[in-house]
């Protein structure tokens, strides 16, 4: 079945009842008839206003669920929504139990680069905890998406669990016990509604299945690898899930270690963006121009095996691909532009792509940092455990086997299986709280094993029956020390949404968010000893992709070296044999899979001391080449012009395999005249017939199957004789005894280097040519057999192993010509700055005949003895090996011969970073101004170009501003000094090398005189600004060629804003989709994409408001 293309112009089919209601409402004149629709995004409610939607239009919908925000008190909370609709919807934000009218606290924005609507909540407090709604409305309907804001507090002491739990659940804590029942009922109804919206169904069986899925997703808190983001979103735990569930399942805060960098490429080439995350993430969102990018032929989205490096490759770039590209990972994002040029050389740019650094090294450093942070956390916990600081009796909430929350009373036992963000103590505590031990006299352990969990339930039920009546339902309450506990099932379902904490009460009750037994403690707290944390995973297993026939390796590290472990594959224990090799190196455990086969794919698990970590091994069979065949293929192939080129390469891999051949990036196809491609199951052959020199270049074969892609590259070199050497000949020396000249080598050497040049000479006035012979393959010749004043002509041919080129004939060259000295440097610096201690090197190139005399001067005098001067043919160099400040000056070179002389001068300044000025003093001589004075820098006498800069900091601002620059004295008067403010001043010393450290003044402040301000405003009447519409720029006559586009525009004013209507031959065009009509700030325009005979006629624009009406007309004619 073919998929309908994404668009909003489709008609939605509703039931006969919907259609009847819609028809009845339209007949009755009720324009607010609405139809409720489903959205693909869970929790989104769509209301459609009309039954039939015009082509190209759509009702608003959300591309993804609005993210839930968990933020610390006092920080910034940010909601982001991505909405699609045509026409563009109006997006607003609301609160359920409050208002967002405070513009300073609640700020709404729109990001053009990502197309996101943003709500920022500044300086979050406990009062901001609420359900927030994003509402998108246009002419055809509206969409509503709800999410929550949860305020947490940063817990600095991991042992203070009572405070942490009270802060986390502050939204359901009530101090007033008399109003507890009423408020509990309200919270119960709100939570049921929120859970109903999150599950998105009313069917009880489906609701039960979805709750089980949500509980399975919660298991990752107990040491398992975290679930995919898609599973979390499905269960409502990310982007708008239940607030309390999201608190218990907190994903580490993601950020970018390496952000996107600007990419520059040519048209029809590829572009690459790369980024590195702080923590592994299977998938991130790539966006451009408000659209989410998907993996396909245009965009290649890849992720590394360790899930930290993400790449986006854009194929066949064009001018339309220019713009900003964004990578979104959780609440973090980064953006970089893409520049596409038709010709990079012409634009003076170089191709850039990727991050430009070794990303694998960055990942290794980040993983090492994460591991060190986890080890530090474990060491800190162990130290507190050894010191006896964690023996206080606590009431805590932890997870059971299937994600249910159980409340127990007892001392805290720490365990950690995942590496979390060290900056988030609540995450660390959640990941380390796994096993709780009850008070003495009754043993009950909560472990990760399902059998242990069942045993706990049996012991708990027996304890309740021994003391009093116990409920048989799953929701039976625990009875500590045999106390009676039996509540109604409905009451338990309601109480699962309440958590009450009271330090002063003897009876403490903590209820989780699942229908699992709980236990009431009666009596005082009993202190127990802290249980040993046990073995932890420093790092766990990671998913890998293995290749058939090659070896694979799984690795994990424990916190102790003396602990043994067991490996499993799909639940079956693994023992060492020819296929699997188990090794242990200290605390590192490894499993080697030898010569992987397809049946070795599966889920592998490592268990040690009731801790476990899992990973998936996928054995794939991508296309690949034999190493020996590949090595032979990559060797360049050299053939002569007119011969055939044959390329053949064997391969293996999962069938079917798609085979493609390329030459210089362009795909080759079967062509009976010159190209033949043979494709088989295990090899492919390319035949290029009667190759020419232009066929030389890169030859590439690309193989692709459902498991992967590979390619091999070689070079084809077609050999031919060289082309003609390039002229004209350039004389380098002409004297009475010799002529020196040079030329350029052939543009194309035919694939072989030039061995020799064959030379002939003719004296002007004679008819014979003298054979000089062969000279080495350097395009330069010195002829010493010449007579002064005579002219000569030369013939030059290039010789290679493939033959001799055509002849190049020079112009007439005369011997004995005087050449005046001339400098040949393209860019000659007249000023240079050198740091003291570095070398100074000035090189001057020149041409002159006969050879000139060269002289260097400093400040019109001889250069010091420590200056070295080196002369050669056509060049001279002045060198100061170790420069000093005294070497500063003007250096000149004089080049002189019989034909004349030439000079050039450059100023060399040897300096160093300036030292800071002396103390800064401030004095007020005139009210409103202060005079800033300072002691000079010690370098002021050594550097005549040293100057000063003054910066000012106002107490009402947070940035330094420059008030004066390039000061060559030691004082300055600063104006606009306000009373009642404090000022700081900094003085910097600057020279050609840089800026010194600042010298800072003391705080300057003048008390503000308070005066009473009285203001009498005159009474005045507000003027009437209304006016009738008026066309200030009328329409012009248009005559457009047939098939071309036509653009009409005019300008109109009016208050109130007039309503604009377009007509063609008195027929309204506003609803005609063939015309693109817009009205921006009074500029009315209409675009006809393809003009035809049907468009000929009279076009009229009318503007109408409550004051009056105006119109403007024009004629459109079509030329053939």
């Amino acid at each position: 079945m073919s998929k309908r293309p994404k668009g909003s112009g489709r008609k939605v089919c509703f039931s006969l009842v919907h259609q009847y209601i819609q028809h009845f409402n339209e007949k009755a004149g009720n324009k607010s008839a609405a139809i409720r629709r489903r959205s693909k995004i869970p929790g989104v409610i769509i209301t459609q206003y009309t039954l039939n939607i015009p082509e190209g239009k759509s009702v608003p919908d959300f591309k993804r669920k609005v993210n839930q925000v968990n933020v610390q008190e006092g920080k910034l909370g940010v909601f982001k929504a991505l909405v699609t609709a045509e026409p563009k919807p109006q997006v607003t934000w609301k609160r359920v139990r409050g208002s967002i009218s405070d513009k300073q606290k609640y700020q709404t924005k729109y990001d053009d680069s990502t197309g996101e609507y943003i709500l920022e909540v500044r300086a979050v407090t406990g009062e901001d905890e609420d359900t927030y709604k994003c509402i998108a409305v246009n002419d055809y309907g509206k969409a509503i998406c709800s999410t929550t804001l949860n305020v947490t507090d940063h817990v600095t002491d991991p042992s203070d669990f009572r405070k942490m739990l009270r802060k986390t659940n502050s939204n359901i804590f009530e101090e007033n016990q008399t109003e507890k029942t009423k408020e509990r009922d309200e919270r119960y109804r709100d939570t049921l509604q929120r859970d109903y919206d999150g599950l998105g169904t009313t069917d009880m069986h489906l609701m039960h299945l979805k709750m089980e899925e949500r509980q399975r997703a919660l298991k990752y808190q107990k040491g398992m690898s975290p679930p995919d983001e898609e599973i979390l979103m499905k269960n409502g735990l990310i982007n708008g899930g239940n607030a309390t569930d999201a608190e218990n399942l907190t994903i580490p805060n993601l950020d970018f270690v390496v952000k996107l960098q600007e990419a520059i490429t040519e048209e029809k080439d590829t572009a690459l963006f790369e980024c590195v995350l702080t923590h592994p993430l299977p998938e991130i969102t790539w966006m451009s121009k408000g659209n989410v990018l998907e993996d396909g032929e245009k965009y290649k989205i890849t992720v590394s095996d360790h899930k930290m490096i993400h790449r986006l490759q854009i194929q066949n770039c064009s001018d339309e691909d220019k713009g900003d590209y964004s990578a979104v990972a959780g609440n973090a994002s980064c953006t970089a532009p893409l520049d596409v040029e038709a010709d990079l050389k012409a634009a003076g740019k170089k191709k850039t792509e990727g991050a430009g650094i070794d990303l694998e090294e960055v990942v290794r450093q980040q993983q090492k940092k994460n591991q060190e942070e986890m080890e530090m956390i474990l060491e800190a916990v162990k130290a507190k455990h050894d010191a006896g600081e964690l023996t206080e009796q606590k009431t805590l909430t932890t997870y059971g086997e299937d994600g249910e929350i159980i409340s127990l009373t007892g001392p805290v036992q720490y365990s950690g299986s995942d590496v979390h963000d060290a900056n988030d103590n609540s995450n660390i505590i959640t990941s380390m709280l796994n096993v709780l031990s009850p008070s003495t006299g009754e043993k009950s352990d909560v472990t990760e094993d399902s059998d242990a969990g069942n045993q706990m339930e049996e012991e708990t039920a027996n304890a309740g029956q021994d003391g009093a009546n116990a409920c048989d339902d799953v929701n039976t309450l625990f009875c500590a020390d045999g106390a009676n506990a039996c509540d109604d099932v409905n009451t338990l379902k309601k109480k699962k949404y309440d958590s009450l904490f009271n330090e002063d009460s003897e009876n403490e009750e903590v209820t989780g968010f699942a229908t699992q037994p709980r236990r009431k403690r009666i009596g005082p707290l009993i202190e127990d000893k802290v249980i040993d944390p046990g073995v932890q995973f420093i790092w766990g297993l990671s998913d890998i992709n293995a290749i058939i026939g090659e070896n694979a390796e799984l690795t994990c590290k424990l916190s102790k070296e003396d602990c043994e472990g067991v490996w499993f594959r799909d639940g079956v224990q693994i023992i060492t044999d020819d296929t699997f090799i188990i090794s242990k190196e200290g605390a590192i455990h490894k499993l080697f899979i030898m010569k992987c086969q397809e049946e070795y794919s599966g889920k592998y698990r490592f268990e040690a001391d009731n801790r476990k970590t899992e990973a998936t091994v996928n054995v794939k069979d991508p296309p690949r080449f034999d190493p020996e065949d590949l090595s032979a293929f990559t060797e360049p192939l050299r053939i002569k012009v007119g011969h055939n080129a044959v390329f053949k390469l064997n391969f293996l891999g999962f069938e079917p395999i798609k085979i493609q051949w390329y030459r210089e990036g362009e795909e080759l196809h079967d062509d009976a005249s010159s190209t033949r491609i043979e494709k088989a199951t295990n090899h492919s052959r390319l035949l290029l017939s009667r190759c020419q020199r232009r066929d030389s270049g890169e030859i590439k074969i690309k193989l692709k199957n459902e498991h992967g892609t590979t390619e091999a590259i070689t070079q084809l070199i077609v050999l031919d004789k060289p082309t003609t050497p390039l002229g004209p000949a350039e004389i380098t020396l002409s004297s009475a005894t010799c002529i020196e000249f040079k030329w350029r080598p052939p543009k194309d050497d035919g694939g072989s280097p030039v061995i020799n040049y064959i030379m002939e000479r003719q004296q002007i006035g004679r008819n014979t040519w003298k054979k000089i012979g062969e000279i080495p393959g350097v395009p330069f010749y010195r002829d010493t057999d010449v007579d002064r004043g005579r002219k000569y002509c030369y013939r030059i041919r290039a010789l290679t192993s493939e033959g001799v080129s055509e002849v190049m004939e020079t112009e007439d060259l005369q011997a004995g010509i005087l050449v005046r000295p001339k400098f040949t440097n393209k860019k000659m610096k007249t000023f240079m700055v050198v740091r003291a201690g570095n070398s100074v090197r000035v090189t001057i190139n020149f041409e002159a005949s006969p050879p000139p005399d060269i002289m260097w001067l400093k400040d019109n005098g001889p250069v010091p003895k420590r200056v070295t001067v080196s002369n050669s043919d056509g060049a001279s160099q002045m060198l100061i090996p170790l420069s000093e400040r005294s070497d500063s000056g003007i250096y000149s070179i004089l080049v002189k011969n019989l034909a004349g002389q030439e000079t050039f001068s450059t100023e060399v300044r040897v300096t160093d970073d300036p030292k800071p000025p002396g103390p800064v003093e401030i004095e007020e001589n005139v009210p409103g101004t202060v005079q800033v004075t300072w002691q000079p820098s010690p370098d002021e006498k050594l550097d005549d170009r040293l100057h000063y800069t003054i910066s000012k900091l106002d107490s009402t601002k947070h940035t330094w501003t420059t008030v004066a620059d390039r000061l060559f004295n030691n004082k300055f008067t600063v104006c606009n000094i306000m009373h009642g403010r404090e000022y700081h001043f900094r003085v910097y010393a600057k020279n050609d090398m840089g800026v010194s450290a600042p010298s800072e003044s003391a705080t300057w402040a003048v008390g503000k005189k308070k005066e009473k301000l009285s203001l009498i405003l005159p009474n005045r009447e507000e003027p009437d600004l209304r006016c009738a519409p008026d066309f200030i720029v009328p329409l012009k006559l248009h005559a457009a060629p047939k098939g071309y586009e036509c653009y009409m525009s005019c300008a109109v004013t009016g208050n109130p804003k007039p309503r604009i209507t377009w007509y063609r031959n008195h027929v309204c065009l506003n609803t005609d989709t063939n015309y693109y009509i817009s009205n921006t700030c009074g500029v009315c325009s209409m675009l006809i994409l393809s003009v035809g005979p049907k468009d000929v006629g009279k076009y009229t624009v009318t503007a109408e408001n409550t004051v009056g009406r105006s119109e403007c007309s024009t004629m459109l004619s079509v030329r053939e």
Side-chain angles (χ1 to χ4, degrees):
M1 179 182 294
S2 61
K3 295 184 179 179
R4 181 186 296 271
K6 293 184 179 180
S8 51
R10 64 182 186 274
K11 294 185 178 180
V12 183
C13 296
F14 299 98
S15 65
L16 292 175
V17 176
H18 282 112
Q19 297 182 23
Y20 175 77
I21 295 173
Q22 179 70 19
H23 177 73
F24 175 79
N25 282 311
E26 291 178 354
K27 292 295 184 180
N30 183 7
K31 300 301 182 181
S32 61
I35 302 171
R36 186 68 60 86
R37 283 182 49 193
R38 280 189 177 183
S39 173
K40 295 182 180 179
I41 307 301
V44 177
I45 301 175
I46 299 178
T47 303
Q48 183 172 320
Y49 294 157
T50 60
L51 182 60
N52 297 322
I53 300 178
E55 187 74 20
K57 307 298 180 181
S58 67
V59 297
D61 196 1
F62 289 81
K63 289 188 176 180
R64 64 169 183 260
K65 198 171 181 69
V66 179
N67 58 301
Q68 174 184 297
V69 175
N70 298 322
V71 65
Q72 293 181 7
E73 188 171 358
K75 297 300 180 81
L76 175 67
V78 181
F79 294 100
K80 296 182 179 181
L82 193 58
V83 185
T84 175
E86 183 60 36
K88 188 175 181 180
Q90 180 180 0
V91 177
T92 57
W93 298 82
K94 291 185 178 180
R95 283 183 60 177
V96 174
R97 299 186 183 88
S99 172
I100 61 172
S101 58
D102 187 354
K103 299 302 181 182
Q104 294 183 352
K105 185 175 184 62
Y106 302 95
Q107 296 187 1
T108 58
K109 300 179 180 178
Y110 177 73
D111 191 341
D112 293 329
S113 61
T114 61
E116 293 177 326
Y117 295 88
I118 301 173
L119 172 63
E120 293 183 352
V121 184
R122 300 184 179 275
V124 173
T125 63
E127 297 178 355
D128 297 320
E129 281 195 330
D130 201 350
T131 299
Y132 290 77
K133 293 184 178 181
C134 181
I135 305 172
V137 182
N138 69 359
D139 295 338
Y140 302 100
K142 69 177 180 179
I144 302 176
C145 184
S146 301
T147 185
T148 55
L149 173 65
N150 302 313
V151 182
T152 60
D153 195 5
H154 188 70
V155 181
T156 57
D157 185 1
S159 65
D160 195 358
F161 296 106
R162 188 189 309 278
K163 181 184 297 184
M164 180 190 67
L165 292 175
R166 183 184 300 109
K167 294 291 185 181
T168 306
N169 298 276
S170 61
N171 59 327
I172 57 174
F173 177 77
E174 294 292 339
E175 295 181 356
N176 190 352
Q177 298 295 329
T178 60
E179 298 180 0
K180 182 190 302 181
T181 303
K182 180 179 178 181
E183 297 183 1
R184 182 184 300 169
D185 292 340
E186 294 178 356
R187 289 196 301 273
Y188 176 63
R189 287 194 297 269
D190 293 341
T191 311
L192 283 180
Q193 180 63 32
R194 185 163 58 249
D195 281 355
Y196 167 77
D197 293 339
L199 294 174
T201 180
T202 57
D203 185 83
M204 295 301 298
H205 179 64
L206 293 178
M207 291 176 67
H208 177 69
L209 293 178
K210 291 196 174 187
M211 287 299 296
E212 288 183 349
E213 291 178 357
R214 179 177 297 181
Q215 291 173 355
R216 285 194 295 270
L218 287 168
K219 284 184 180 180
Y220 110 98
Q221 285 281 27
K222 301 175 296 176
M224 299 182 181
S225 58
D228 292 341
E229 184 177 356
E230 181 180 356
I231 298 176
L232 299 178
M233 293 179 63
K234 180 178 179 182
N235 290 276
L237 299 175
I238 295 179
N239 296 339
N242 182 278
T244 310
D245 290 345
E247 289 178 8
N248 293 326
L249 184 58
T250 304
I251 297 178
N253 293 329
L254 285 172
D255 201 355
F256 290 89
V257 181
V258 177
K259 297 186 177 182
L260 302 182
Q261 302 295 326
E262 179 184 7
I264 303 175
T265 186
E266 280 187 336
E267 291 184 355
K268 298 185 179 180
D269 202 349
T270 60
L272 178 65
F273 289 101
E274 296 177 322
C275 62
V276 179
L277 301 178
T278 54
H279 295 84
L281 189 65
E283 182 180 358
I284 67 174
T285 302
W286 293 91
M287 304 187 68
S288 175
K289 302 174 182 177
N291 298 320
V292 177
L293 307 182
E294 298 180 355
D295 189 24
E297 294 185 0
K298 179 65 177 178
Y299 302 103
K300 300 295 184 182
I301 299 176
T302 58
V303 60
S304 61
D305 293 338
H306 42 65
K307 305 295 188 296
M308 295 180 70
I309 301 177
H310 295 258
R311 294 182 174 92
L312 169 66
Q313 188 177 49
I314 307 170
Q315 308 287 335
N316 194 20
C317 293
S318 63
D319 192 64
E320 296 178 355
D321 297 322
K322 283 185 178 180
D324 291 339
Y325 288 78
S326 301
V328 181
N331 288 333
S333 64
C334 59
T335 303
L338 170 62
D339 187 9
V340 181
E341 298 288 347
D343 188 354
L344 288 178
K345 292 184 178 179
K349 299 180 180 179
K350 294 183 179 180
K351 180 177 180 179
T352 62
E353 59 179 6
I357 58 176
D358 187 359
L359 299 185
E360 292 294 341
E361 179 63 25
V362 175
V363 170
R364 286 192 289 270
Q365 296 294 333
Q366 184 64 26
Q367 289 176 338
K368 181 179 179 182
K369 178 181 177 182
N370 294 341
Q371 294 169 13
E372 291 175 352
E373 290 177 352
M374 187 59 190
E375 291 174 354
M376 291 174 60
I377 295 168
L378 293 176
E379 291 176 359
V381 173
K382 185 176 180 181
K384 290 195 175 184
H385 161 259
D386 295 339
E389 297 180 9
L390 303 180
T391 59
E392 182 181 354
Q393 190 79 0
K394 302 293 178 185
T395 300
L396 300 172
T397 301
T398 186
Y399 292 95
E401 174 62 24
D402 292 329
E404 66 272 14
I405 300 174
I406 304 173
S407 299
L408 294 178
T409 304
V412 178
Q413 174 184 357
Y414 292 92
S415 65
S417 59
D418 281 334
V419 179
H420 290 272
D421 192 348
N423 297 324
D424 190 348
N425 289 338
S426 62
N427 292 349
I428 297 170
I429 295 171
T430 304
S431 65
M432 296 172 62
L433 285 176
N434 201 357
V435 180
L436 302 175
S437 176
S439 57
T440 58
E442 183 176 358
K443 182 178 181 180
S444 178
D445 295 335
V446 181
T447 69
E448 296 181 1
D449 190 87
S450 59
D451 296 336
N454 296 332
Q455 181 180 358
M456 181 190 69
E457 292 182 5
E458 294 176 2
E459 293 178 0
T460 304
N462 293 335
Q465 291 174 359
D466 293 338
N469 298 329
C471 295
D472 294 331
D473 190 83
V474 178
N475 297 318
T476 304
L477 291 177
F478 281 92
C479 297
D481 299 328
N484 295 333
C486 185
D487 289 336
D488 185 75
V489 174
N490 294 329
T491 305
L492 288 176
K493 291 182 178 179
K494 177 179 179 183
K495 285 186 176 182
K496 79 189 185 82
Y497 294 96
D498 298 330
S499 295
L500 302 178
F501 304 85
N502 191 345
E503 293 185 3
D504 301 330
S505 175
E506 289 186 350
N507 298 330
E508 293 192 8
E509 177 183 345
V510 181
T511 303
F513 287 85
T515 58
Q516 177 67 17
R518 64 181 181 180
R519 188 177 78 176
K520 277 189 177 181
R521 178 185 56 77
I522 301 178
L525 293 172
I526 301 176
E527 293 189 358
D528 283 345
K529 295 183 179 179
V530 175
I531 300 176
D532 181 30
V535 176
Q536 315 296 331
F537 280 99
I538 302 302
W539 76 73
L541 301 179
S542 299
D543 295 343
I544 61 172
N545 293 324
I547 298 178
I548 287 182
E550 297 184 5
N551 299 337
E553 177 184 342
L554 291 171
T555 306
C556 63
K557 183 178 180 181
L558 299 176
S559 59
K560 294 183 179 180
E561 297 184 0
D562 57 351
C563 181
E564 299 293 334
V566 183
W567 291 87
F568 297 87
R569 178 169 70 91
D570 296 332
V572 179
Q573 183 176 348
I574 299 175
I575 59 176
T576 300
D577 54 14
D578 294 340
T579 302
F580 301 99
I581 299 177
I582 299 174
S583 69
K584 178 177 179 293
E585 300 176 2
I588 300 177
H589 296 256
K590 296 182 179 181
L591 173 65
F592 296 93
I593 308 174
M594 314 303 294
K595 296 182 179 179
C596 293
Q597 299 298 323
E598 188 174 357
E599 57 267 20
Y600 297 163
S601 298
K603 181 172 290 187
Y604 288 74
R605 184 174 76 251
F606 178 77
E607 294 186 0
D609 194 19
N610 289 331
R611 301 288 182 268
K612 60 184 177 181
T613 177
E614 295 181 347
T616 301
V617 175
N618 295 319
V619 180
K620 297 186 177 182
D621 191 9
R624 54 201 181 277
F625 304 106
D626 181 81
E628 295 182 359
D629 292 347
L630 181 61
S631 177
F633 177 81
T634 54
E635 290 293 330
L637 176 63
R638 291 179 169 85
I639 62 172
K640 292 189 176 183
V641 171
H643 290 204
N644 297 338
V646 179
F647 301 91
K648 182 179 178 181
L649 196 57
N650 298 323
F651 54 81
L652 67 155
F654 183 78
E655 298 180 2
I657 298 177
K658 182 180 179 181
I659 305 172
Q660 295 172 294
W661 287 89
Y662 296 86
R663 179 173 62 193
E664 288 296 318
E666 295 185 3
E667 186 175 359
L668 299 174
H669 301 281
D670 264 332
D671 183 357
S673 61
S674 61
T675 305
R676 295 295 302 273
I677 299 177
E678 177 185 339
K679 299 179 181 179
T681 57
N682 60 353
H683 75 276
S684 180
R685 181 171 176 268
L686 171 65
L687 171 63
L688 301 177
S689 303
R690 299 182 298 278
C691 293
Q692 300 299 318
R693 178 65 183 156
R694 62 178 178 273
D695 295 326
S696 299
E698 179 186 270
I699 302 296
K700 180 174 71 175
I701 179 175
K702 183 178 180 181
L703 306 179
K704 182 179 181 181
N705 65 5
E706 64 181 41
H707 291 171
T709 303
T710 188
E711 60 185 32
I713 298 175
T714 187
Q715 296 290 330
L716 172 61
I717 302 175
V718 182
L719 302 176
D720 196 1
K721 66 180 183 180
T723 58
T724 306
L726 300 178
E730 180 182 350
I731 298 177
T732 58
L733 176 63
S734 176
S735 65
T737 58
C738 73
I739 297 177
E740 287 184 2
F741 63 95
K742 61 182 180 179
W743 60 94
R744 290 180 293 166
K747 185 176 182 181
D748 183 7
D749 60 6
S752 301
V754 176
I755 302 174
N756 290 320
Y757 287 97
I758 302 175
M759 304 288 295
E760 293 181 276
R761 188 188 76 177
Q762 181 190 49
Q763 182 177 325
I764 301 301
R766 297 182 181 181
N767 297 326
T768 59
W769 286 85
K770 177 183 177 181
K771 292 185 178 180
I772 300 176
E774 296 183 4
I775 64 172
V778 179
F780 172 84
Y781 181 64
R782 180 186 179 97
D783 191 357
T784 58
D785 185 16
V786 295
D787 296 328
R788 182 184 182 97
R790 294 189 182 275
K791 295 182 179 180
Y792 300 90
C793 181
Y794 297 85
R795 286 179 178 174
I796 307 173
R797 295 180 178 87
L799 174 64
T800 67
S801 59
E802 298 301 318
V804 181
S805 70
E806 298 295 329
V807 66
M808 180 201 82
E809 190 169 323
T810 68
E811 298 177 351
D812 298 344
L813 307 179
Q814 185 175 3
I817 299 178
L818 299 178
V819 178
R820 179 186 177 88
K822 179 176 67 175
F823 296 114
T824 59
N825 297 63
K826 292 184 178 180
K827 293 183 179 179
M828 303 179 70
K829 296 182 179 179
T830 59
F831 179 78
M832 58 189 305
V833 179
V834 181
R835 186 185 299 275
N838 292 352
S839 63
V840 178
R841 192 186 307 269
V842 180
T843 302
I844 302 297
N845 298 321
F846 59 86
E847 59 182 21
S849 179
D853 296 328
I854 301 172
M855 180 185 298
W856 283 90
L857 302 173
K858 178 191 176 185
D859 297 332
N860 295 325
V863 295
K865 294 182 179 180
R866 53 195 306 272
V867 177
T868 303
V869 175
S870 303
N871 297 325
S872 62
D873 291 342
S876 179
Q877 183 184 80
M878 187 270 296
L879 174 65
I880 305 176
L882 193 63
S883 62
E884 300 175 354
R885 286 181 180 264
S886 60
D887 293 324
S888 299
I890 298 177
Y891 290 81
S892 304
I893 181 174
L894 173 64
V895 182
K896 182 179 180 181
N897 67 0
L898 296 176
Q901 66 180 22
E902 193 70 30
T903 61
F904 174 75
S905 300
T906 180
E907 181 180 357
V908 177
R909 180 167 294 275
V910 181
T911 184
D912 207 341
D913 290 332
K915 297 179 182 178
V920 180
E921 298 179 357
I922 301 176
E923 181 180 1
E924 182 181 19
N925 296 327
V926 179
T929 63
V930 294
Q931 186 179 57
V932 182
T933 58
W934 62 92
Q935 296 297 322
S937 169
D939 294 335
E940 184 175 313
K941 295 181 180 180
L942 302 176
D943 192 344
D944 58 350
R945 294 173 62 91
L946 185 139
H947 55 276
Y948 300 96
T949 299
I950 301 177
S951 297
K952 178 185 70 173
L953 176 64
D954 192 334
S955 60
T956 61
K957 301 179 182 178
H958 302 285
T959 58
W960 289 86
T961 58
T962 301
V963 296
D965 195 6
R966 300 195 65 81
L967 298 175
F968 289 89
N969 56 4
N970 304 121
K971 63 181 179 179
F972 182 77
T973 301
V974 182
C975 302
N976 298 326
I977 301 298
M978 306 296 294
H979 290 277
R981 299 183 184 180
E982 294 182 352
Y983 293 90
H984 295 265
F985 295 93
R986 288 178 178 175
V987 181
Y988 302 84
K990 286 185 177 181
N991 63 5
D992 296 317
M993 188 56 63
V995 184
S996 72
S999 294
E1000 193 164 342
S1001 70
T1003 302
W1004 175 264
V1006 178
K1008 183 177 181 181
K1009 299 179 180 180
K1010 295 185 179 180
E1011 298 180 355
K1012 293 184 178 180
L1013 177 65
S1014 60
L1015 179 63
I1016 301 176
L1017 296 176
N1019 295 326
R1020 61 177 182 179
E1021 297 181 356
E1022 292 293 334
D1024 188 1
L1025 301 178
R1026 295 182 302 167
C1027 63
D1030 182 24
F1031 286 90
I1032 58 176
V1033 178
L1035 293 172
K1036 297 181 180 180
L1037 294 176
H1038 291 271
K1042 182 179 178 181
Y1044 284 70
E1045 63 180 28
C1046 179
Y1047 182 81
M1048 301 182 184
S1049 64
C1050 61
V1052 64
T1053 61
N1055 188 17
K1057 181 180 179 181
R1059 181 176 181 271
I1060 307 300
T1061 308
W1062 286 80
Y1063 297 89
R1064 180 176 63 83
N1065 296 334
H1066 305 292
V1067 177
C1068 181
L1069 302 178
N1070 280 26
T1071 58
D1072 193 332
T1073 58
N1074 294 322
Y1075 300 89
Y1076 293 86
I1077 299 172
S1078 64
N1079 180 12
T1080 304
C1081 298
V1083 177
C1084 309
S1085 60
M1086 180 180 68
L1087 176 63
I1088 307 173
L1089 290 179
S1090 180
V1091 175
K1094 61 181 179 60
D1095 299 313
V1096 175
K1098 180 180 179 181
Y1099 287 80
T1100 305
V1101 183
T1102 64
E1104 184 176 1
N1105 61 8
T1106 56
V1107 181
R1109 183 176 184 275
S1110 180
E1111 67 178 31
C1112 182
S1113 302
T1114 187
M1115 295 297 295
L1116 172 62
S1117 60
V1118 178
R1119 301 196 307 268
E1120 293 294 337

